[in-house]
Amino acid sequence: PMFGLTEADRMVASATFAFDIAVLELLAPVLAGGCVVIADAEQIQDAARLRDLLTDSGATAMQATPSGWRRLVDAGGIPAGVRLRISGGEPLPRDLADVLCAGDAAGRLSAQPGGVRLWNMYGPTETTVYSGGYPVAPSPAPLEVGSIIEGNQHYVLDDQMRPVPPGVFGEVYIGGACLANGYHGAPGLTAARF
């Protein structure tokens, strides 16, 4: 199962159901035989209440944007029992990644077997949820996003659609089963983006 989820895991779902990321929150734990704990609107908007939900529910997993993780850290830290931390939707700053890798805001490691695992995920809307990601290692390792999802490919190409060498800027192109066919009823937009 993705991210190593098992029947022992409890994932807090904090994304609105209108956001494609909710698909992962609702289905990944269930497919692994685990449990989903759905946060209500007040818990989602109040980091201290979300932190209480994580603690009280015995949550072992959660995904959030980096700004969402930062709010939790600022509200007293992430409970150490939340050993699987998935970040996506925005660039993950290195300083926040280091806090998330360490355990909680005080730097205490998780008491769970295997410790804390942080994943930096990537996936534009056109790929529905995530098209790639990478487990994060503590500093000084670089933050990476790779094609770890079977059947998906990522390429960094120049303006002539040629691969660029490592360290050279280019544009990300994604291919594979994750890619949508286009925008419904918008052929111009489809042509421009696909």
Side-chain angles (χ1 to χ4, degrees), residues 66-137:
S67 55
W69 284 116
R70 178 86 64 198
R71 289 181 343 163
L72 273 171
V73 168
D74 292 346
I78 298 136
V82 181
R83 62 169 184 75
L84 173 60
R85 299 161 184 198
I86 304 165
S87 182
E90 304 165 359
L92 178 61
R94 180 78 248 184
D95 69 311
L96 179 59
D98 288 340
V99 170
L100 295 174
C101 282
D104 64 11
R108 296 182 297 251
L109 292 177
S110 169
Q112 298 286 331
V116 170
R117 291 175 299 147
L118 171 62
W119 285 81
N120 185 26
M121 302 301 293
Y122 173 74
T125 300
E126 293 81 7
T127 64
T128 308
V129 191
Y130 295 129
S131 62
Y134 209 80
V136 175

Side-chain angles (χ1 to χ4, degrees), residues 104-174:
D104 64 11
R108 296 182 297 251
L109 292 177
S110 169
Q112 298 286 331
V116 170
R117 291 175 299 147
L118 171 62
W119 285 81
N120 185 26
M121 302 301 293
Y122 173 74
T125 300
E126 293 81 7
T127 64
T128 308
V129 191
Y130 295 129
S131 62
Y134 209 80
V136 175
S139 284
L143 291 172
E144 298 182 50
V145 176
S147 298
I148 57 96
I149 298 174
E150 188 176 330
N152 296 340
Q153 303 86 37
H154 290 97
Y155 306 95
V156 180
L157 307 176
D158 65 16
D159 59 357
Q160 300 296 309
M161 307 266 308
R162 296 175 302 210
V164 299
V168 174
F169 288 97
E171 188 168 348
V172 174
Y173 285 77
I174 301 170

Side-chain angles (χ1 to χ4, degrees), residues 23-51:
V23 172
L24 183 130
E25 292 180 340
L26 298 173
L27 296 181
V30 173
L31 291 172
C35 180
V36 177
V37 177
I38 299 174
D40 65 31
E42 290 81 24
Q43 291 163 325
I44 293 166
Q45 294 179 2
D46 182 333
R49 290 185 70 185
L50 182 57
R51 186 180 193 288

